[in-house]
Amino acid sequence: QVQLVESGGGLVQAGGSRRLSCAASGHGFNSYAMGWFRQAPGKEREFVAAISRSGGSTYTADSVKGRFTISRDNAKNTVSLQMNSLKPEDTAVYYCAARKYWGNARYATSWNEYEYWGQGTQVTVDS
C-alpha cells in the first residue's frame, strides 16, 4: 500500500510558475506509475501528466504540454510537477495518484485505473 501527500499548492499570478511535490510512503514506490490529475469546481477530474515507474517515459495532456513537466526521484520516493506559464484555467485541486503499471506512461491517463490518491493541493492562478 502507498500513502501519498501533495504539497506546493497556493496562489500564483498568471504567467508564473509553481512546483508541486508528492511524497510517497510505503513499500515499492518504483513499482508504481505515477500521475497528476486536477479537478476544477464543477468539472470532471482531468488527467494532467503521468510518468512510468522507472521515469523512462512521461506523458502530458495537450492542455499543459510544453508548460508542465512531471518527474520522479525513486531514491526519495517523490514525484513532482513543474508548472510554468500558468494560466487562470489551470486553477484546480491537483491530485497525485499511483497505480501498479509496467507500461508506457502514455497509456496511464485514466483516473479510474489509479489505486492510491493523495488528498490534493489547491492551485489558484490569479489573472
Side-chain angles (χ1 to χ4, degrees), residues 1-108:
Q1 193 167 357
V2 175
Q3 294 80 43
L4 304 172
V5 179
E6 303 97 336
S7 60
L11 177 65
V12 61
Q13 295 296 311
S17 297
R18 201 80 180 182
R19 186 176 181 88
L20 304 183
S21 294
C22 175
S25 59
H27 297 291
F29 178 70
N30 59 3
S31 297
Y32 294 87
M34 301 298 296
W36 285 95
F37 294 79
R38 66 186 183 186
Q39 189 164 19
K43 295 188 177 181
E44 295 187 350
R45 194 171 311 186
E46 175 188 21
F47 168 76
V48 176
I51 188 166
S52 63
R53 61 192 188 116
S54 68
S57 69
T58 62
Y59 189 71
T60 51
D62 288 343
S63 58
V64 304
K65 200 175 296 287
R67 300 188 297 120
F68 290 14
T69 303
I70 188 171
S71 61
R72 69 187 293 163
D73 186 337
N74 284 347
K76 296 182 178 180
N77 285 10
T78 58
V79 61
S80 298
L81 185 69
Q82 178 64 43
M83 306 185 295
N84 299 327
S85 302
L86 282 160
K87 304 175 181 180
E89 51 262 44
D90 295 319
T91 295
V93 177
Y94 284 73
Y95 297 92
C96 169
R99 60 173 287 199
K100 281 248 178 116
Y101 176 71
W102 286 268
N104 192 291
R106 70 176 297 138
Y107 302 115

Side-chain angles (χ1 to χ4, degrees), residues 103-123:
N104 192 291
R106 70 176 297 138
Y107 302 115
T109 63
S110 299
W111 68 266
N112 57 357
E113 295 177 336
Y114 281 77
E115 302 161 73
Y116 303 105
W117 291 81
Q119 82 290 350
T121 186
Q122 174 73 45
V123 174

